[in-house]
Amino acid sequence: MSSLIGKRIGELKALLQEKQVSAVEIAEAHLDHVKKSDSQTHAFLNLTEELAKEQARAVDQKIARGEEPGPLGGIPLALKDNISVADYPLTCGSKILENFIAPYNATAAEKLFAAGALCLGKATLDEFAMGSSNENTSFPVPRNPWDTDRVPGGSSGGPAVSVASGYSSIGIGSDTGGSIRLPASFCGIVGMKPTYGLVSRFGLTAYASSLDQIGPFARSVEDAAITLSVLLGEDGKDATSLRAPFEKSGEQAPDLKFVRSLKKENAADYLKGLRVGVIADFLSDAISPEIKSQIDKVRKVLGDHGAIVEEVTVPHIKEALPVYYIVATAEASANLARFDGVRYGARTESPADITTLYNQSREAGFGDEVKRRIMLGTYALSSGYYDAYYKKAQQVRRLIKESFDRTFERFDALLSPTSPSTAFKIGEKVDDPLTMYLCDIATLPANLAGIPGLVLPCGISTAEAKPLPVGLQLLAGQLKDAVLIKTAFALEQVLPAQTYESPVLKAAI
Ligand code: GLN
């Protein structure tokens, strides 16, 4: 039998159903690949080997009994380490939680496990999901499997590296301002941030609660969509989880039935007459020429298939960056207050008094970027500055959302680059937080507006010493997740054929 590495969900499921392979063998083959190769890529912080094997045995038993093992039955999975798995470490990439063991499963994890996924491990991230390159961590910096001198993108670097290296078929990240989409772009895979409120945040360590969304990584749009269909759903444990959103809005639910209706042969028809806006605000000189030329190629392919492609400016979209860094840091400063050495987090012993205990525990436990954000957020919320910063940012956030609402009256989907450049060298931007923040200029607006966004690989750049993938970003209106997936799926079929296999993945196939 050829290698089990790098297979899509459908391929692994077929092998299982035909009894050519067992789920235990799938788990073992992927864990072996991790053990052999992850010393060069550092995708995982902790393996959950026992859990994976137990889940694999349960899948095998179901198949033996003739039962359907679930939409993800036997599919290897990597979870970002800010998503709780009961009885396993939950570090959030931070020293302060180095020894913390999660007491329960996140709803997202629960759903994936019930669908038969095999959880191989907890994947690395920027500390508390704050970052764009995954260099803000007290643990080893993960490496881009296309070029291990480069970053994989952040903050969900680990699950992206896992999927792009073939350690797992799917990965789960969280996206507050681009943390699924940027690493998907840098690693040459698909990543999706769903509409805010579609996936429960229960058990996801909060960074900025009004922006955080859990979503999938995969190597095809179909696999990302299958994973999303499992993650979806109302959850009484998350107050911001949407109640019956599709029934109420009449929009199509991106459920499994919908995913099964996606047909390769219908892709070209679907694109005919589709109205696609290219966000002109993100085609400035700040975007690398390589990325611009890939986006031009995509525009042409869309046009050749009868889509109506027009440039559009989205008013206020450029204000997304300052607005985001006020809203996100303000919420972070409140959310991270619980890590004080008493309620949560490592405690510095023998303090003189309780304030010193808090201060010393936080001083020792948090990294520099997390401290910077807590200070910025506390400042923006402090009396006297609240109106000038936080309130103003919320007002502009509203304007951004309304701009998108108006733009989506004219377009079915919006197209833009994901980031101004391809994956950069480790260390290249660490001393310049502003340039680092600019990596997310094109991804942040979707979080502020609560709309879904998806990144799809669209080409390979040869401008650097080693080939690097380029990802395009598609956006759709609120609850139009099915439209977004359909558009991405169709585009994936008609773009020039290209296999996005990183060297780490290729070596294992
Ligand atoms: N890079 C952005 C930040 O640091 C987004 C992070 C994220 O989406 N979690 O805030």
Side-chain angles (χ1 to χ4, degrees):
M1 146 119 39
S2 69
S3 164
L4 292 170
I5 305 302
K7 297 253 183 286
R8 305 288 199 272
I9 294 177
E11 294 171 314
L12 285 179
K13 291 204 68 165
L15 290 173
L16 278 167
Q17 287 303 340
E18 293 157 11
K19 306 224 164 42
Q20 293 198 34
V21 68
S22 69
V24 168
E25 284 166 336
I26 294 179
E28 279 169 355
H30 286 82
L31 285 163
D32 279 354
H33 177 31
V34 175
K35 287 178 194 165
K36 272 195 207 113
S37 314
D38 200 32
S39 52
Q40 9 155 12
T41 46
H42 304 294
F44 287 97
L45 288 168
N46 284 296
L47 291 181
T48 51
E49 192 164 348
E50 276 317 304
L51 178 62
K53 290 195 176 153
E54 183 190 312
Q55 290 168 331
R57 282 193 293 272
V59 168
D60 285 336
Q61 282 160 9
K62 278 197 176 166
I63 293 175
R65 288 197 299 265
E67 292 168 24
E68 159 56 39
L72 296 175
I75 305 304
L77 157 78
L79 282 179
K80 184 175 182 178
D81 200 23
N82 58 355
I83 298 172
S84 303
V85 174
D87 305 326
Y88 282 98
L90 175 72
T91 68
C92 297
S94 183
K95 262 214 319 248
I96 208 161
L97 286 179
E98 200 169 359
N99 300 313
F100 181 72
I101 304 291
Y104 52 76
N105 280 335
T107 299
E110 199 78 67
K111 282 175 176 271
L112 294 157
F113 299 170
L118 315 179
C119 182
L120 305 186
K122 306 299 294 294
T124 196
L125 67 161
D126 279 300
E127 187 174 358
F128 288 105
M130 296 175 188
S132 309
S133 65
N134 212 145
E135 290 165 291
N136 297 331
T137 169
S138 333
F139 303 100
V141 172
R143 309 274 164 156
N144 192 310
W146 291 80
D147 176 350
T148 50
D149 289 337
R150 291 177 186 269
V151 301
S155 66
S156 315
V161 173
S162 175
V163 172
S165 304
Y167 300 144
S168 60
S169 304
I170 53 174
I172 303 296
S174 63
D175 189 311
T176 305
S179 276
I180 293 175
R181 289 162 288 157
L182 185 64
S185 181
F186 281 8
C187 292
I189 58 176
V190 176
M192 178 171 174
K193 177 203 101 68
T195 290
Y196 181 78
L198 279 190
V199 179
S200 167
R201 293 184 296 110
F202 179 75
L204 165 72
T205 310
Y207 160 15
S209 315
S210 76
L211 303 160
D212 300 337
Q213 251 315 262
I214 289 177
F217 288 105
R219 289 192 42 245
S220 70
V221 174
E222 186 185 8
D223 283 6
I226 294 172
T227 311
L228 174 66
S229 75
V230 168
L231 290 169
L232 284 180
E234 189 175 324
D235 182 10
K237 294 176 185 156
D238 171 2
T240 58
S241 147
L242 296 173
R243 311 286 181 248
F246 299 106
E247 288 82 341
K248 282 188 198 151
S249 64
E251 296 296 344
Q252 185 164 28
D255 54 14
L256 203 55
K257 191 161 146 250
F258 156 77
V259 180
R260 292 200 178 115
S261 75
L262 297 171
K263 295 273 178 294
K264 292 193 166 126
E265 13 350 319
N266 301 341
D269 278 351
Y270 178 70
L271 293 176
K272 210 166 289 158
L274 191 79
R275 300 164 306 164
V276 181
V278 182
I279 306 179
D281 312 76
F282 297 142
L283 295 176
S284 71
D285 294 340
I287 306 287
S288 93
E290 272 285 297
I291 292 188
K292 257 198 220 157
S293 81
Q294 296 288 356
I295 295 292
D296 284 344
K297 184 188 77 187
V298 176
R299 287 169 75 158
K300 183 159 184 323
V301 171
L302 281 168
D304 291 347
H305 283 84
I308 303 156
V309 186
E310 262 174 55
E311 279 190 22
V312 56
T313 53
V314 182
H316 309 293
I317 199 168
K318 285 204 167 149
E319 270 75 68
L321 187 81
V323 168
Y324 173 87
Y325 276 98
I326 290 171
V327 174
T329 56
E331 293 185 17
S333 72
N335 279 327
L336 269 61
R338 72 194 68 175
F339 302 102
D340 55 12
V342 176
R343 285 171 295 174
Y344 289 95
R347 178 180 308 173
T348 302
E349 293 299 344
S350 338
D353 55 63
I354 188 78
T355 311
T356 316
L357 184 152
Y358 290 156
N359 289 345
Q360 287 183 352
S361 302
R362 287 163 73 80
E363 168 62 29
F366 288 140
D368 287 349
E369 184 62 26
V370 171
K371 287 180 190 155
R372 179 176 5 244
R373 303 225 182 167
I374 292 173
M375 285 190 282
L376 281 171
T378 307
Y379 180 77
L381 289 177
S382 56
S383 74
Y385 295 103
Y386 179 93
D387 282 351
Y389 295 107
Y390 187 70
K391 193 167 158 211
K392 185 61 89 192
Q394 291 291 19
Q395 287 165 337
V396 181
R397 179 178 186 176
R398 178 90 206 166
L399 293 177
I400 294 170
K401 176 171 182 313
E402 287 169 357
S403 282
F404 273 117
D405 289 346
R406 274 194 300 278
T407 310
F408 284 118
E409 286 168 9
R410 292 171 48 214
F411 296 98
D412 301 302
L414 297 178
L415 167 70
S416 80
T418 309
S419 77
S421 73
T422 49
F424 45 87
K425 288 248 169 79
I426 290 175
E428 195 180 313
K429 297 192 203 279
V430 274
D431 296 326
D432 186 357
L434 266 186
T435 323
M436 189 71 98
Y437 294 176
L438 274 169
C439 296
D440 301 315
I441 182 126
T443 52
L444 306 168
N447 301 74
L448 291 169
I451 59 175
L454 186 149
V455 163
L456 175 71
C458 66
I460 291 183
S461 158
T462 48
E464 304 293 343
K466 295 186 181 160
L468 293 173
V470 178
L472 63 86
Q473 175 179 242
L474 290 168
L475 302 174
Q478 204 156 17
L479 293 175
K480 302 252 186 205
D481 299 67
V483 171
L484 182 65
I485 291 168
K486 241 186 199 172
T487 306
F489 179 80
L491 197 49
E492 179 183 50
Q493 310 312 317
V494 301
L495 281 173
Q498 172 83 255
T499 50
Y500 294 93
E501 286 170 355
S502 71
V504 177
L505 169 61
K506 243 189 222 152
I509 290 179

